Amino acid sequence: TETKVIRTALAGMNSYAPDAIIGDQSGRGNNWALGYCGGRSVQDPTTAVVDAVFESFRHQVESCDNFLGCTLVHSLAGGTGAGFGCRLAEVLRDDYPATYLTSISIFPSAVGDTPLQHYNTMLSISWLQEYMDSILYFNNDDLIKLFTRRTTSDNNNASPNVSMTTLNRSIATAVASLVLPVNGRPYDFIDLINSVTPMSSLKFCEASCYPQMNGVFGSKPNCGEPDWLSMANKLLNIIPKGRFSTVAAQLTVRSNDVNHSFPPHYKMIKEKMTRHLNCVSWNPFPLDIRLSVEQYGKKQNKGQPTITLLSNRTRIATRLADDLDSALAKFHARAYVHWYERYGCDDSMFESAFRSVSN
């Protein structure tokens, strides 16, 4: 919400209408309660920001021929993305109950971002579970490990330096491959929810993409026919391993000749991925494969073929359990609780969030 941060993020970008950019004079202090509960009085600045954002959003909706839903992009660590984001999610659900709401949520590093991050994450997860239809999450720790391993290998064990720009680019690459049009059809919220997150109790999914953009992970232009088997193997190597189950998954394959080059490998790749992901036996169609001749980033990577996997895996439970344990330890010690009570977040809100995550 800070105007300086917004100006920096929008530098060189002209694709946003001026009335769709809403800012404030200050942030939310890495405090979920300040972001969410701070606007309970009419005089509070948060109320004005929420009203301004919703009014701008309403104008965007009214300009649509057929409004199906929207996606909230935010982090779970701080006050603006976590607290204010959850407040917006609640308002949108109340005013547009029949539309589809999805979120792209960024988990912070397990240690080091802010001492309040475990509280913020637990409160946010509780709200997202309540108001969102599907939650696509990215874990900063997973991305850092992935790029650290690759950078060390490429530089003969030199000390790696993974920048926030690299992490953001990786997330943007995976999201772009998923949400950009498929064979002329726009991104379909209903298809995502029905294919990957059909159960209200299992809304979390993760995305992995190969190759990455702009020279990351060997993304050199390939002028010949794509080696889909090799790309599928490299994609599976990116996915964090473990004894996890997969409820459902969706594979998006993009290439200008995908309808010609991919079908001979379709069955083998599908069987390999289904086996690698340890798909549950009760789902007869655990992997949905989408083929698209439309490619993104043609200027950056000359339209290189890409393969992207969106999966609903039980791996999220490990991260949630760790965050819950840390949050409970702090809560029982009453650490930082007064910072939340100051803005109206009492013990009942914490306890409700803990129960929601536990369940």
Side-chain angles (χ1 to χ4, degrees):
T1 51
E2 296 179 64
T3 54
K4 181 179 179 181
V5 176
I6 294 175
R7 285 197 301 268
T8 302
L10 295 178
M13 299 177 63
N14 301 314
S15 56
Y16 294 97
D19 61 349
I21 302 172
I22 312 297
D24 199 4
Q25 296 303 312
S26 62
R28 295 299 178 263
N30 289 325
N31 190 326
W32 187 94
L34 178 56
Y36 177 83
C37 302
R40 290 312 185 189
S41 65
V42 177
Q43 295 79 17
D44 191 282
T46 303
T47 298
V49 176
V50 169
D51 291 343
V53 169
F54 188 73
E55 181 66 15
S56 176
F57 184 85
R58 184 177 62 81
H59 284 299
Q60 301 296 323
V61 171
E62 290 176 350
S63 67
C64 296
D65 294 330
N66 183 21
F67 176 62
L68 296 178
C70 68
T71 298
L72 172 69
V73 183
H74 66 138
S75 75
L76 301 178
T80 303
F84 191 73
C86 289
R87 177 78 178 277
L88 287 178
E90 182 177 330
V91 171
L92 292 174
R93 174 57 73 198
D94 289 342
D95 286 81
Y96 296 96
T99 60
Y100 295 96
L101 298 181
T102 59
S103 74
I104 299 174
S105 306
I106 316 300
F107 276 84
S109 298
V111 294
D113 281 11
T114 165
L116 304 181
Q117 68 181 40
H118 298 109
Y119 284 155
N120 296 339
T121 299
M122 291 296 97
L123 290 163
S124 297
I125 293 300
S126 175
W127 255 253
L128 294 177
Q129 177 66 29
E130 177 72 19
Y131 296 108
M132 290 294 169
D133 296 300
S134 182
I135 305 160
L136 170 58
Y137 77 93
F138 292 89
N139 189 338
N140 275 347
D141 283 338
D142 288 344
L143 295 173
I144 291 172
K145 290 178 182 177
L146 181 63
F147 285 103
T148 298
R149 184 172 70 247
R150 181 68 185 190
T151 305
T152 302
S153 174
D154 289 346
N155 293 282
N156 297 320
N157 297 321
S159 178
N161 183 19
V162 182
S163 66
M164 291 302 298
T165 299
T166 300
L167 300 183
N168 290 336
R169 185 177 296 149
S170 173
I171 294 172
T173 301
V175 173
S177 181
L178 291 171
V179 304
L180 288 180
V182 175
N183 296 326
R185 298 177 56 190
Y187 173 52
D188 190 347
F189 291 92
I190 302 175
D191 181 50
L192 166 65
I193 295 167
N194 290 342
S195 298
V196 185
T197 57
M199 301 173 63
S200 61
S201 59
L202 299 172
K203 297 181 178 181
F204 290 87
C205 52
E206 55 188 82
S208 300
C209 180
Y210 185 88
Q212 299 288 327
M213 289 176 66
N214 297 338
V216 182
F217 280 14
S219 55
K220 298 179 181 179
N222 182 2
C223 300
E225 184 173 294
D227 186 350
W228 293 117
L229 291 176
S230 176
M231 291 180 65
N233 287 330
K234 291 177 180 178
L235 174 65
L236 293 176
N237 287 335
I238 293 174
I239 299 172
K241 298 178 176 60
R243 299 181 65 181
F244 309 111
S245 298
T246 299
V247 175
Q250 186 179 80
L251 186 70
T252 302
V253 184
R254 295 181 182 271
S255 174
N256 54 15
D257 69 341
V258 68
N259 292 322
H260 166 73
S261 62
F262 190 81
H265 311 288
Y266 183 99
K267 183 177 180 181
M268 182 178 297
I269 290 177
K270 186 171 185 177
E271 291 177 351
K272 185 179 186 66
M273 289 202 164
T274 302
R275 185 169 57 252
H276 183 93
L277 294 172
N278 189 28
C279 294
V280 295
S281 58
W282 49 262
N283 185 353
F285 307 105
L287 180 61
D288 176 37
I289 299 181
R290 306 187 304 170
L291 307 183
S292 176
V293 296
E294 286 140 339
Q295 299 163 266
Y296 64 88
K298 291 189 177 182
K299 182 178 179 180
Q300 293 87 349
N301 60 12
K302 302 188 187 316
Q304 180 174 347
T306 59
I307 183 168
T308 307
L309 182 69
L310 182 67
S311 56
N312 185 340
R313 307 174 70 201
T314 58
R315 193 173 73 91
I316 183 63
T318 302
R319 176 59 195 259
L320 293 181
D322 292 341
D323 283 340
L324 178 61
D325 289 343
S326 298
L328 284 173
K330 291 180 179 180
F331 183 73
H332 292 152
R334 308 301 294 175
Y336 308 112
V337 174
H338 62 287
W339 290 6
Y340 290 77
E341 292 175 337
R342 181 184 307 170
Y343 300 105
C345 183
D346 56 20
D347 284 7
S348 65
M349 296 182 71
F350 278 107
E351 293 166 354
S352 176
F354 296 153
R355 285 195 299 272
S356 176
V357 176
S358 296
N359 293 334

